Amino acid sequence: MSKILIIYSSVHGQTRKVTDYLKQQLESYGNEVTCASIDEAPALDVFDKVVIGASIRHGKHNPAVYDFISRNINQLSDKVSSFFSVSLVARKPAKNTPETNPYMQAFLAKTTWKPKLLAVFGGNLDYQGYNAVDRNIIRFIMWITKGPTAADTKVEYTDWDKVSQYAQQLHQL
């Protein structure tokens, strides 16, 4: 059994949903799991493993994720750690692995942290759940990338079996 901290940065809630699912899966293996938003993360010293999950908004991870990593780089480097990214780009088979996802690659290039395990998950597309600015930006991006643009579109691209496999890998670290 491990004491695991999952820190998340979520804009529209899908990364939080993935975090809650991971918590449930990891607890089923007998782990003690604490979840916290990036802005409310507790001290890392009492945890055996630290997981950070972040969504993409307008092509970038939240700057608070990089700030948190910079402030805690020594502890993150000394512990078993992992990072996962949630984005609509990951809905595409050619961009749904850490090696092929451009946002994961940009993340890795921007930080000195080297997590032991990486994962990429598809996000949730819900135009009605966005404000007008986000809805228009996302629809434009989806139009460019040949994704759905109908204003009533609501599609969850998260592969929950893949999230379960990731939880098992985390448990085994």
Side-chain angles (χ1 to χ4, degrees), residues 75-90:
Q75 284 187 300
L76 287 168
S77 297
D78 290 343
K79 292 185 177 292
V80 172
S81 62
S82 180
F83 178 75
F84 70 90
S85 181
V86 178
S87 69
L88 288 172
V89 166

Side-chain angles (χ1 to χ4, degrees), residues 5-65:
L5 173 62
I6 305 174
I7 300 165
Y8 63 89
S9 173
S10 189
V11 177
H12 297 291
Q14 194 67 13
T15 304
R16 173 62 197 259
K17 188 174 178 181
V18 170
T19 297
D20 291 342
Y21 186 84
L22 282 171
K23 180 181 193 299
Q24 176 190 16
Q25 293 291 301
L26 289 165
E27 287 177 341
S28 75
Y29 294 125
N31 298 288
E32 183 181 322
V33 182
T34 301
C35 298
S37 73
I38 193 82
D39 300 323
E40 300 171 353
L44 306 184
D45 56 344
V46 299
F47 297 95
D48 304 310
K49 300 176 184 180
V50 178
V51 178
I52 299 176
S55 62
I56 292 296
R57 181 166 193 233
H58 305 313
K60 297 178 183 172
H61 289 103
N62 183 343
V65 173

Side-chain angles (χ1 to χ4, degrees), residues 14 18 85-88 90-91 120-124 157-159 162:
Q14 194 67 13
V18 170
S85 181
V86 178
S87 69
L88 288 172
R91 77 187 187 282
V120 175
F121 305 117
N124 185 49
Y157 291 104
T158 306
D159 180 341
K162 188 175 177 183

